[in-house]
Amino acid sequence: DGANDSASDGESLEVVPGLSNLGPSFLSIDRDGRVLRLDSFSKLLAPGFRLGWVTGSRALVKAYDSLAYVSSQNGSSLSMVILSKALDAWGDDGFERHVRSLQLSLRRRCRALCAALEAHVSDLATWRMPEAGMFLWLRSNTSLPAEGLVEAMAEFQVVVLPGPVCATGSREAALNDPDTPCGDMQVGQVGQVGQGRLGRLGRKGKVP
């Protein structure tokens, strides 16, 4: 969060918002009980936890609970015990420090990613510095088709996700819609090496 501001990436945790200085969520402005918020420890602590929590009106939470009971059921008991012990040991202040440390790390990675993009693919794509989230969207201005992009990237050891995969409608409709960014790529935190490979692929100008 805040990777596009002018603050430096020093060691101080005060340059990131932590938990207390985040912007308002949909849940915080919900007055009619329409919002169901899902949070996950997978992004906060470790992917292997696969644990989270749900917040919302009693009716929505009850409906969600019934659905979860016949689908995902419960998480790992061992993971729950480990998580409980860790949170108890940290306390509120310790958890806040962990969150800020994670935010600062992601902030640095985001800035490094954007610097690598500027150095290697500024003539091949456009993008905006993210204000939040864990991904950066690129809009390709090359002739590389979205459908063949994933296969082409395998040769250059860069992982991407074509934009239509994330479309709200059907994938087929997104591919046929001229307003859908079919050349968009959702790129994770890759650095100079990855962006150099992406640049070479873009200039190659064709997909296998």
Side-chain angles (χ1 to χ4, degrees):
D1 184 81
N4 59 348
D5 60 32
S6 58
S8 65
D9 282 340
E11 296 300 322
S12 174
L13 299 180
E14 299 305 316
V15 299
V16 289
L19 292 172
S20 57
N21 296 315
L22 295 174
S25 66
F26 286 116
L27 185 63
S28 70
I29 59 176
D30 181 26
R31 297 295 180 267
D32 303 313
R34 301 181 181 183
V35 177
L36 190 67
R37 173 170 170 165
L38 303 176
D39 293 279
S40 172
F41 283 108
S42 295
K43 301 298 186 290
L44 282 172
L45 296 179
F49 271 118
R50 295 301 178 192
L51 297 175
W53 67 99
V54 57
T55 312
S57 68
R58 185 179 300 274
L60 283 180
V61 171
K62 183 178 180 180
Y64 172 85
D65 187 53
S66 298
L67 179 62
Y69 183 77
V70 297
S71 57
S72 59
Q73 297 186 348
N74 297 319
S76 167
S77 297
L78 178 59
S79 295
M80 293 180 185
V81 171
I82 294 173
L83 176 62
S84 176
K85 294 292 185 181
L87 294 177
D88 284 343
W90 278 347
D92 291 345
D93 291 341
F95 185 60
E96 174 76 14
R97 285 194 299 273
H98 168 75
V99 170
R100 286 181 179 269
S101 178
L102 177 61
Q103 288 174 336
L104 187 60
S105 175
L106 292 174
R107 173 195 183 95
R108 290 168 176 161
R109 294 180 188 183
C110 178
R111 289 183 169 182
L113 173 61
C114 289
L117 286 168
E118 190 64 38
H120 295 288
V121 297
S122 59
D123 59 331
L124 302 174
T126 57
W127 64 91
R128 290 187 299 177
M129 176 74 82
E131 296 182 6
M134 299 183 67
F135 297 97
L136 174 66
W137 284 93
L138 300 182
R139 181 179 290 275
S140 171
N141 55 25
T142 72
S143 59
L144 298 175
E147 285 296 277
L149 191 57
V150 174
E151 291 78 6
M153 285 300 181
E155 178 185 348
F156 290 82
Q157 299 181 341
V158 177
V159 178
V160 300
L161 184 64
V165 176
C166 302
T168 55
S170 69
R171 186 175 183 181
E172 291 74 17
L175 287 171
N176 295 324
D177 185 352
D179 294 326
T180 298
C182 294
D184 280 11
M185 297 169 286
Q186 193 178 32
V187 183
Q189 300 290 1
V190 294
Q192 294 282 349
V193 173
Q195 294 309 316
R197 293 171 182 163
L198 180 59
R200 291 197 298 275
L201 172 61
R203 294 180 184 89
K204 187 177 180 180
K206 60 182 179 180
V207 175

